[in-house]
Amino acid sequence: MTRPVSPATHQRLREAMERLFNAEPQHTDGNLTKNNLWREARLSRATMNRATDILAEWDARIGDSPAGAAARQRDDEIENLRSSLRAARHEGRQLQDQLDAAATVITALTTENAALRRQAANSSARIVPLFSDHGR
């Protein structure tokens, strides 16, 4: 069982969170990350992790912040790009299947053409009329 943080630790985390959200960091670069939260509060990560109410508030505020909106926009863009990539791969597979089918038909026609050329070369060039003039 983890023990909760002391009121003093709770206050340090809250003050650090406010400094970060107000863009007034004292001990970090000011990025809105949990790493910066525990560093800004000058506490350990484990201590910060025991302050579940502070972390819940952090997550809620990050979701409403410009950084949260930017993260959601980035995630949406990544999902759109992944979807486009899936569609492009599917189209590529279809085109490859069509190309393979065309190559198979071309090979069959080339073989048949070669056989017909050999047959024409080996047979005598004899013209056989389709209609005879004898019946008129």
Side-chain angles (χ1 to χ4, degrees):
M1 179 174 162
T2 60
R3 56 175 214 240
V5 296
S6 70
T9 298
H10 195 271
Q11 184 62 32
R12 284 174 66 180
L13 282 165
R14 185 164 299 290
E15 289 170 358
M17 182 168 50
E18 292 306 319
R19 284 194 306 271
L20 288 171
F21 278 110
N22 292 330
E24 300 169 348
Q26 295 176 355
H27 308 290
T28 64
D29 60 9
N31 288 330
L32 297 178
T33 64
K34 287 183 182 174
N35 278 335
N36 276 350
L37 178 58
W38 62 266
R39 289 181 177 128
E40 185 68 28
R42 299 278 178 136
L43 298 169
S44 72
R45 183 176 193 91
T47 300
M48 177 196 69
N49 287 337
R50 289 196 315 269
T52 56
D53 58 331
I54 294 286
L55 293 177
E57 184 179 342
W58 174 270
D59 290 340
R61 288 181 70 180
I62 284 293
D64 295 337
S65 72
R72 282 190 302 279
Q73 182 180 5
R74 181 196 67 233
D75 292 345
D76 290 345
E77 184 177 351
I78 288 171
E79 184 52 40
N80 288 338
L81 289 171
R82 285 181 177 155
S83 178
S84 296
L85 180 59
R86 278 191 299 272
R89 284 180 175 162
H90 179 71
E91 183 181 0
R93 281 191 298 273
Q94 287 181 323
L95 291 171
Q96 186 62 52
D97 290 346
Q98 290 175 354
L99 181 63
D100 292 345
T104 301
V105 169
I106 289 169
T107 301
L109 290 172
T110 301
T111 303
E112 184 178 347
N113 191 23
L116 289 171
R117 286 180 188 272
R118 278 192 307 276
Q119 182 182 6
N122 292 337
S123 68
S124 63
R126 199 172 80 203
I127 299 176
V128 178
L130 294 177
F131 301 104
S132 128
D133 288 337
H134 299 299
R136 287 190 192 199

